[in-house]
Short mmCIF file of all heavy atoms in Angstrom, two decimals:
data_model
loop_
_atom_site.label_atom_id
_atom_site.label_comp_id
_atom_site.label_asym_id
_atom_site.label_seq_id
_atom_site.Cartn_x
_atom_site.Cartn_y
_atom_site.Cartn_z
N VAL A 413 168.77 82.95 29.64
CA VAL A 413 169.45 81.74 30.16
C VAL A 413 169.05 80.57 29.32
O VAL A 413 167.89 80.34 29.08
CB VAL A 413 169.01 81.48 31.64
CG1 VAL A 413 169.75 80.27 32.15
CG2 VAL A 413 169.39 82.71 32.47
N GLY A 463 170.96 88.61 37.63
CA GLY A 463 169.64 88.14 37.73
C GLY A 463 168.74 88.94 38.69
O GLY A 463 167.50 88.85 38.59
N GLY A 464 169.32 89.68 39.57
CA GLY A 464 168.61 90.50 40.61
C GLY A 464 167.90 91.75 39.97
O GLY A 464 167.22 92.46 40.66
N LEU A 465 168.17 92.01 38.67
CA LEU A 465 167.56 93.17 38.06
C LEU A 465 166.02 93.10 38.10
O LEU A 465 165.31 94.07 38.06
CB LEU A 465 168.02 93.32 36.62
CG LEU A 465 169.55 93.68 36.46
CD1 LEU A 465 169.88 93.68 34.99
CD2 LEU A 465 169.83 95.02 37.08
N VAL A 466 165.46 91.83 38.18
CA VAL A 466 164.04 91.69 38.28
C VAL A 466 163.51 92.31 39.54
O VAL A 466 162.34 92.75 39.58
CB VAL A 466 163.68 90.20 38.23
CG1 VAL A 466 164.11 89.42 39.47
CG2 VAL A 466 162.18 89.99 38.02
N ARG A 467 164.31 92.36 40.61
CA ARG A 467 163.88 92.94 41.87
C ARG A 467 163.49 94.48 41.66
O ARG A 467 162.50 94.92 42.20
CB ARG A 467 164.96 92.85 42.88
CG ARG A 467 164.56 93.40 44.25
CD ARG A 467 165.65 93.37 45.29
NE ARG A 467 166.14 91.99 45.55
CZ ARG A 467 166.97 91.62 46.51
NH1 ARG A 467 167.50 92.66 47.25
NH2 ARG A 467 167.34 90.49 46.72
N LYS A 469 162.59 95.96 38.95
CA LYS A 469 161.31 96.08 38.15
C LYS A 469 160.12 95.74 38.98
O LYS A 469 159.08 96.45 38.85
CB LYS A 469 161.42 95.14 36.93
CG LYS A 469 162.56 95.52 35.97
CD LYS A 469 162.66 94.44 34.87
CE LYS A 469 163.81 94.78 33.92
NZ LYS A 469 164.00 93.71 32.86
N LEU A 470 160.21 94.69 39.84
CA LEU A 470 159.07 94.38 40.70
C LEU A 470 158.78 95.49 41.64
O LEU A 470 157.60 95.81 41.97
CB LEU A 470 159.44 93.09 41.49
CG LEU A 470 159.16 91.73 40.85
CD1 LEU A 470 159.72 90.65 41.69
CD2 LEU A 470 157.65 91.57 40.68
N ILE A 473 156.70 98.11 40.10
CA ILE A 473 155.30 97.69 39.92
C ILE A 473 154.54 97.66 41.23
O ILE A 473 153.33 98.00 41.23
CB ILE A 473 155.31 96.29 39.25
CG1 ILE A 473 155.84 96.33 37.83
CG2 ILE A 473 153.95 95.61 39.29
CD1 ILE A 473 156.08 94.98 37.21
N PRO A 508 162.52 87.80 45.61
CA PRO A 508 163.02 87.93 44.29
C PRO A 508 164.53 87.61 44.32
O PRO A 508 165.21 87.74 45.30
CB PRO A 508 162.80 89.37 43.93
CG PRO A 508 162.87 90.08 45.26
CD PRO A 508 162.41 89.11 46.27
N ALA A 509 165.08 87.29 43.15
CA ALA A 509 166.56 87.04 43.07
C ALA A 509 167.29 88.29 43.43
O ALA A 509 166.79 89.41 43.19
CB ALA A 509 166.91 86.56 41.65
N PRO A 513 170.77 83.87 42.96
CA PRO A 513 169.37 83.48 42.89
C PRO A 513 168.69 83.40 44.28
O PRO A 513 167.47 83.50 44.34
CB PRO A 513 169.42 82.04 42.28
CG PRO A 513 170.60 82.01 41.51
CD PRO A 513 171.65 82.85 42.27
N ILE A 530 158.29 83.09 45.70
CA ILE A 530 159.61 83.05 45.08
C ILE A 530 159.57 83.44 43.63
O ILE A 530 158.85 82.78 42.86
CB ILE A 530 160.23 81.56 45.30
CG1 ILE A 530 160.32 81.28 46.74
CG2 ILE A 530 161.55 81.51 44.57
CD1 ILE A 530 160.74 79.89 47.07
N VAL A 531 160.26 84.49 43.36
CA VAL A 531 160.32 85.01 41.93
C VAL A 531 161.80 85.01 41.55
O VAL A 531 162.51 85.90 41.63
CB VAL A 531 159.81 86.42 41.82
CG1 VAL A 531 159.84 86.84 40.34
CG2 VAL A 531 158.35 86.52 42.33
N SER A 532 162.29 83.78 41.22
CA SER A 532 163.65 83.55 40.87
C SER A 532 163.74 82.23 40.06
O SER A 532 163.70 81.12 40.60
CB SER A 532 164.48 83.39 42.18
OG SER A 532 165.87 83.21 41.88
N ASP A 533 163.76 82.35 38.76
CA ASP A 533 163.54 81.24 37.85
C ASP A 533 164.60 80.16 38.03
O ASP A 533 164.33 79.03 37.74
CB ASP A 533 163.53 81.73 36.40
CG ASP A 533 162.27 82.55 36.07
OD1 ASP A 533 161.33 82.65 36.95
OD2 ASP A 533 162.20 83.12 34.97
N ASN A 534 165.82 80.55 38.40
CA ASN A 534 166.93 79.54 38.43
C ASN A 534 167.35 79.24 39.83
O ASN A 534 168.54 78.88 40.07
CB ASN A 534 168.07 80.03 37.61
CG ASN A 534 167.68 80.30 36.17
OD1 ASN A 534 167.31 79.32 35.45
ND2 ASN A 534 167.75 81.50 35.71
N ILE A 535 166.42 79.28 40.77
CA ILE A 535 166.74 79.10 42.19
C ILE A 535 166.96 77.57 42.49
O ILE A 535 166.12 76.76 42.20
CB ILE A 535 165.77 79.67 43.10
CG1 ILE A 535 166.18 79.68 44.60
CG2 ILE A 535 164.40 78.97 42.95
CD1 ILE A 535 165.28 80.50 45.49
N PHE A 551 155.69 79.67 43.75
CA PHE A 551 156.73 79.90 42.71
C PHE A 551 156.06 80.62 41.58
O PHE A 551 155.15 80.07 40.92
CB PHE A 551 157.33 78.59 42.31
CG PHE A 551 158.14 77.95 43.38
CD1 PHE A 551 157.53 77.13 44.35
CD2 PHE A 551 159.51 78.08 43.45
CE1 PHE A 551 158.32 76.49 45.33
CE2 PHE A 551 160.26 77.48 44.42
CZ PHE A 551 159.65 76.69 45.40
N ILE A 552 156.49 81.79 41.34
CA ILE A 552 155.98 82.61 40.26
C ILE A 552 157.11 82.93 39.27
O ILE A 552 158.18 83.28 39.64
CB ILE A 552 155.38 84.01 40.76
CG1 ILE A 552 154.51 83.75 41.99
CG2 ILE A 552 154.66 84.72 39.66
CD1 ILE A 552 153.24 83.03 41.67
N SER A 553 156.80 82.70 37.96
CA SER A 553 157.91 83.02 37.02
C SER A 553 158.15 84.48 36.94
O SER A 553 157.25 85.28 37.23
CB SER A 553 157.50 82.43 35.58
OG SER A 553 156.55 83.31 35.05
N GLU A 554 159.35 84.85 36.55
CA GLU A 554 159.70 86.24 36.48
C GLU A 554 158.85 86.95 35.41
O GLU A 554 158.39 88.11 35.63
CB GLU A 554 161.17 86.42 36.14
CG GLU A 554 162.11 85.92 37.26
CD GLU A 554 163.57 85.91 36.84
OE1 GLU A 554 163.92 86.40 35.73
OE2 GLU A 554 164.38 85.41 37.65
N ASN A 555 158.54 86.34 34.32
CA ASN A 555 157.67 86.93 33.26
C ASN A 555 156.25 87.25 33.83
O ASN A 555 155.71 88.32 33.57
CB ASN A 555 157.58 85.98 32.05
CG ASN A 555 158.81 86.05 31.20
OD1 ASN A 555 159.61 87.01 31.24
ND2 ASN A 555 159.08 85.00 30.42
N GLN A 556 155.74 86.25 34.58
CA GLN A 556 154.43 86.48 35.14
C GLN A 556 154.40 87.56 36.16
O GLN A 556 153.52 88.48 36.17
CB GLN A 556 153.88 85.15 35.83
CG GLN A 556 153.42 84.10 34.80
CD GLN A 556 152.94 82.88 35.58
OE1 GLN A 556 153.54 82.43 36.53
NE2 GLN A 556 151.80 82.36 35.19
N ALA A 557 155.39 87.53 37.04
CA ALA A 557 155.47 88.52 38.18
C ALA A 557 155.60 89.93 37.59
O ALA A 557 155.09 90.91 38.26
CB ALA A 557 156.58 88.19 39.08
N LEU A 558 156.23 90.09 36.42
CA LEU A 558 156.42 91.48 35.90
C LEU A 558 155.19 91.94 35.09
O LEU A 558 155.26 93.09 34.57
CB LEU A 558 157.70 91.46 35.08
CG LEU A 558 159.02 91.26 35.84
CD1 LEU A 558 160.19 91.22 34.95
CD2 LEU A 558 159.19 92.33 36.93
N GLN A 559 154.16 91.16 34.96
CA GLN A 559 152.97 91.62 34.31
C GLN A 559 152.20 92.46 35.28
O GLN A 559 151.96 92.09 36.46
CB GLN A 559 152.07 90.47 33.84
CG GLN A 559 152.74 89.59 32.76
CD GLN A 559 151.87 88.38 32.48
OE1 GLN A 559 150.67 88.28 32.78
NE2 GLN A 559 152.53 87.36 31.87
#
Side-chain angles (χ1 to χ4, degrees):
V413 179
L465 294 175
V466 69
R467 182 185 297 188
K469 296 175 183 178
L470 274 172
I473 291 172
I530 298 173
V531 183
S532 181
D533 290 352
N534 299 298
I535 188 171
F551 292 83
I552 312 295
S553 74
E554 293 173 8
N555 284 337
Q556 285 180 314
L558 294 177
Q559 296 174 20

